[in-house]
Amino acid sequence: MKITDINIRDPYVLLHKGKYYLYGTRSATCWGPADGFDCYVGEDLENWEGPIEVFHRPQDFFATENFWAPECYFYQGAFYFITTFGAPGRKKGIYVLKAEKPEGPYELYGERLTPEDWTFIDGTLYIEGNTPYLIFSHSFEDDGQADISVTKLALDLSHAEGEPWVAFPAKAAPWAKPFPWAKQEFGIEGDCYFTDGPSLRKMGSGNLYMLWSSWGTAGYAVGVARSESDSVMGPWKQVEQPIWPENGGHGMMFEDKNGDLVFALHYPNDKYAERPIFRKMTETDQTLILEEE
């Protein structure tokens, strides 16, 4: 099938042994009961085989909804699936699945990586030195003031070590605005921000960048932050304008077969109409920019 036929949110691409593996949130079950994740396999970024179901909810599995934002990593000889799970009466959190092949089947592995009493979504893995870190969104449901948070993981990714800390709040970015339906949909009074979809990459220049999403002047958007220490520890400097300003989000970065840096996100952000799109990106003047199509 063509990339335009794939109906997912939160696209994530793994290049492994010459093949692309595309994962994402099923659009059809994003906002209600959910039971699995799929993978698409391609030799290029236009033509894909699938969907191949890589995980199906076992009977009596604790999570029944919020099967969101899967990311797949080849690490220490196995494939690790970082994802969000939720259920009624349970705060959303980040978990790990593990498999021997990128197509699965994946099984739950280790402990919940985020605290039980906080709401977290959209985890991404970043290795600094030999230390793995989980970067994720601390969601607005807890206090209306969402942020991007970080926690250190055990070397085998089975659990978090220590408490998470805040990398930056959503409102640190000049372009991020309160989203307009907080009271209507969630009963939250006052200005309410959200964050989601962090993705980190260190460039050949040594600069460490993070993509992340929030609500901007023109709607759902993707922004760029740069670590002033070139470390996940920050501090993080926000680029003033979003790299993708309207109706698309949850971006990530990967290197294609030619060694070019590619930006992936879902667009449009309209329910049940989301599709993955890809654009080349480059580093210029200590920020990331998209190349002209």
Side-chain angles (χ1 to χ4, degrees):
M1 66 173 61
K2 297 294 185 181
I3 190 66
T4 51
D5 297 323
I6 298 176
N7 183 204
I8 59 172
R9 299 174 62 87
D10 317 326
Y12 184 87
V13 176
L14 170 70
L15 176 58
H16 182 73
K17 293 187 176 180
K19 289 186 178 182
Y20 296 106
Y21 296 87
L22 171 64
Y23 309 87
T25 303
R26 292 173 175 171
S27 176
T29 60
C30 180
W31 308 111
D35 61 7
F37 292 108
D38 302 314
C39 173
Y40 300 83
V41 184
E43 299 287 344
D44 54 48
L45 297 176
E46 180 61 30
N47 302 286
W48 300 86
E49 296 179 1
I52 302 163
E53 189 170 56
V54 299
F55 174 77
H56 189 83
R57 179 182 180 271
Q59 188 174 6
D60 299 325
F61 191 64
F62 72 92
T64 58
E65 60 190 23
N66 311 125
F67 283 43
W68 289 352
E71 298 195 356
C72 184
Y73 299 87
F74 183 62
Y75 176 77
Q76 294 187 346
F79 295 89
Y80 293 85
F81 209 69
I82 309 292
T83 192
T84 304
F85 284 131
R90 176 190 291 262
K91 288 182 179 289
K92 294 184 287 290
I94 313 298
Y95 298 81
V96 186
L97 309 176
K98 185 179 179 181
E100 295 181 358
K101 301 184 297 182
E103 306 98 320
Y106 286 87
E107 296 182 353
L108 190 65
Y109 168 78
E111 302 174 2
R112 175 177 165 128
L113 298 182
T114 52
E116 294 276 357
D117 56 346
W118 294 359
T119 305
F120 291 110
I121 64 171
D122 296 359
T124 194
L125 184 66
Y126 181 71
I127 310 295
E128 187 165 290
N130 293 318
T131 303
Y133 292 91
L134 183 74
I135 299 90
F136 46 88
S137 166
H138 183 190
S139 189
F140 64 88
E141 288 105 319
D142 286 341
D143 62 6
Q145 301 297 310
D147 61 58
I148 296 293
S149 292
V150 184
T151 196
K152 181 182 176 183
L153 300 182
L155 289 178
D156 65 359
L157 309 185
S158 64
H159 62 277
E161 295 188 340
E163 294 297 318
W165 68 89
V166 175
F168 55 84
K171 59 186 178 183
W175 59 269
K177 310 298 178 187
F179 65 93
W181 64 90
K183 183 176 181 179
Q184 177 183 352
E185 291 199 20
F186 302 102
I188 299 175
E189 299 281 354
D191 289 347
C192 183
Y193 292 80
F194 77 83
T195 58
D196 71 28
S199 175
L200 284 76
R201 190 169 188 89
K202 177 161 279 195
M203 304 297 288
S205 63
N207 289 329
L208 176 62
Y209 293 96
M210 185 192 306
L211 302 178
W212 63 285
S213 294
S214 189
W215 191 261
T217 303
Y220 195 34
V222 181
V224 179
R226 179 177 59 82
S227 172
E228 294 188 280
S229 67
D230 300 324
S231 164
V232 71
M233 299 298 176
W236 293 89
K237 182 177 182 179
Q238 304 294 329
V239 176
E240 189 165 339
Q241 297 297 326
I243 192 170
W244 189 276
E246 183 176 4
N247 202 30
H250 200 108
M252 62 87 63
M253 300 171 274
F254 68 96
E255 192 174 282
D256 70 10
K257 291 182 180 182
N258 298 319
D260 294 326
L261 186 62
V262 180
F263 172 64
L265 80 164
H266 71 251
Y267 175 87
N269 193 46
D270 306 325
K271 285 185 178 180
Y272 316 121
E274 310 94 332
R275 299 290 187 275
I277 63 171
F278 304 119
R279 292 276 300 276
K280 295 287 181 66
M281 71 189 320
T282 56
E283 180 185 25
T284 301
D285 297 329
Q286 294 196 326
T287 188
L288 299 174
I289 62 171
L290 299 183
E291 295 183 3
E292 296 293 331
E293 290 186 292

